[in-house]
Amino acid sequence: FILDGIINVLKMVSIFLRKWFMNNKFIRIDRKTLIRLSKDKQTSDKNSESINMTYIIKNPIIRYIWWSRLNTMLKLAFKEQGVRVLDFACGEGVFLPSLSANFKTVDAVDIDIDIAKNVKKEFKLDNVNIFEDNIYETKLKDNYYDIIFAASVLEHFNDVHLIFDSLRKKIKKGGALIFSSPSENYIYRFGRLVTGFNKYNNTVHIHYFGSKELADIAKTKFSLIKKVSTPIKFLPFFDLHNVYLFKND
């Protein structure tokens, strides 16, 4: 009984310390560095949602909106005890420096990892492993990860039920899935019109679901713990992106 009490106290102290230090460990890669690291992949396609259109666009408001959702995802991870995490569909790897600074082991997976590998090399992320893989035929281990992060990617899968099932297999019992997704509400669509982004006429970056639809599907497979709207969490009607914390009970 005494030993159990000591263990619980140590766990609480560990969580407190991790929260304390993580508050200062969100790493936002500066625009010039991203331009340099992604120069071989940059595209002139105005409708593309690639790195050159979201994280290195000149408009600082758009950059802030996209970085803020990653910061929110990391803050939600404060609630979880995580040692081993996965960045699912890591894209250009912009989240990897933050994850590397806060977790012992970080795996990342995507079908195109060229820029992510540049980010790993640039920031010397020795605890990051990057896999070029397909989630449907992945070699990633089952029942392995404490937390899986999925930043604005699930809406691109029309068979998202299969994706949730695949991710659930990879998460430990009691582990967490933290994902973000565009709200697809009128404000979000108006913002796309104003800024020139238009996924609705783009055959590569199609949105099959909005964040609410994804959350409703996720609720059939996980337990919802918390939802946060970004970029202004206390104005839920201004939810350009929504971030969710789900548990694999």
Side-chain angles (χ1 to χ4, degrees), residues 2-211:
I2 295 177
L3 181 59
D4 289 340
I6 294 174
I7 292 174
N8 288 332
V9 169
L10 291 175
K11 286 182 178 179
M12 291 176 63
V13 170
S14 175
I15 294 172
F16 172 79
L17 290 175
R18 190 159 61 87
K19 288 181 180 180
W20 178 269
F21 287 111
M22 282 177 68
N23 284 333
N24 297 317
K25 287 192 177 181
F26 178 69
I27 299 171
R28 176 172 170 166
I29 306 174
D30 69 88
R31 179 172 174 267
K32 289 183 179 179
T33 299
L34 283 175
I35 290 174
R36 175 169 53 81
L37 295 178
S38 63
K39 63 181 180 180
D40 294 333
K41 286 283 186 178
Q42 290 179 38
T43 174
S44 59
D45 179 4
K46 194 173 183 179
N47 285 329
S48 173
E49 188 107 5
S50 61
I51 187 170
N52 59 313
M53 295 303 289
T54 53
Y55 293 103
I56 66 174
I57 194 169
K58 290 184 178 179
N59 189 321
I61 296 176
I62 295 177
R63 296 203 309 272
Y64 169 78
I65 289 172
W66 282 82
W67 281 110
S68 68
R69 88 201 198 288
L70 295 182
N71 193 14
T72 300
M73 292 175 71
L74 190 62
K75 287 179 178 178
L76 281 183
F78 295 172
K79 296 177 177 294
E80 304 303 313
Q81 293 186 36
V83 174
R84 186 180 292 116
V85 303
L86 172 68
D87 187 359
F88 170 65
C90 65
E92 296 80 10
V94 295
F95 202 16
L96 295 179
S98 295
L99 297 180
S100 174
N102 291 289
F103 299 99
K104 183 177 180 180
T105 302
V106 179
D107 288 349
V109 62
D110 209 316
I111 57 175
D112 185 348
I113 59 174
D114 290 343
I115 302 176
K117 290 194 295 185
N118 291 343
V119 170
K120 175 181 176 177
K121 182 178 180 180
E122 175 78 12
F123 291 89
K124 298 179 174 60
L125 308 179
D126 295 333
N127 62 335
V128 172
N129 308 297
I130 303 176
F131 302 94
E132 187 172 11
D133 207 348
N134 186 321
I135 191 62
Y136 300 108
E137 302 173 355
T138 182
K139 299 179 178 63
L140 297 173
K141 296 178 181 178
D142 291 345
N143 191 32
Y144 188 69
Y145 296 102
D146 300 299
I147 305 173
I148 291 182
F149 295 91
S152 299
V153 62
L154 299 176
E155 63 272 10
H156 297 299
F157 294 93
N158 62 352
D159 52 355
V160 72
H161 281 276
L162 293 177
I163 297 300
F164 277 128
D165 289 338
S166 296
L167 294 178
R168 187 179 182 188
K169 290 179 181 178
K170 307 303 173 188
I171 303 172
K172 289 180 179 178
K173 198 71 171 176
L177 170 65
I178 299 175
F179 71 85
S180 67
S181 180
S183 64
E184 302 293 350
N185 61 16
Y186 290 112
I187 296 177
Y188 184 87
R189 295 185 183 215
F190 178 73
R192 284 199 176 281
L193 180 65
V194 171
T195 58
F197 293 127
N198 187 2
K199 280 189 175 179
Y200 306 104
N201 295 328
N202 191 301
T203 58
V204 177
H205 293 288
I206 298 174
H207 280 188
Y208 293 99
F209 301 96
S211 58

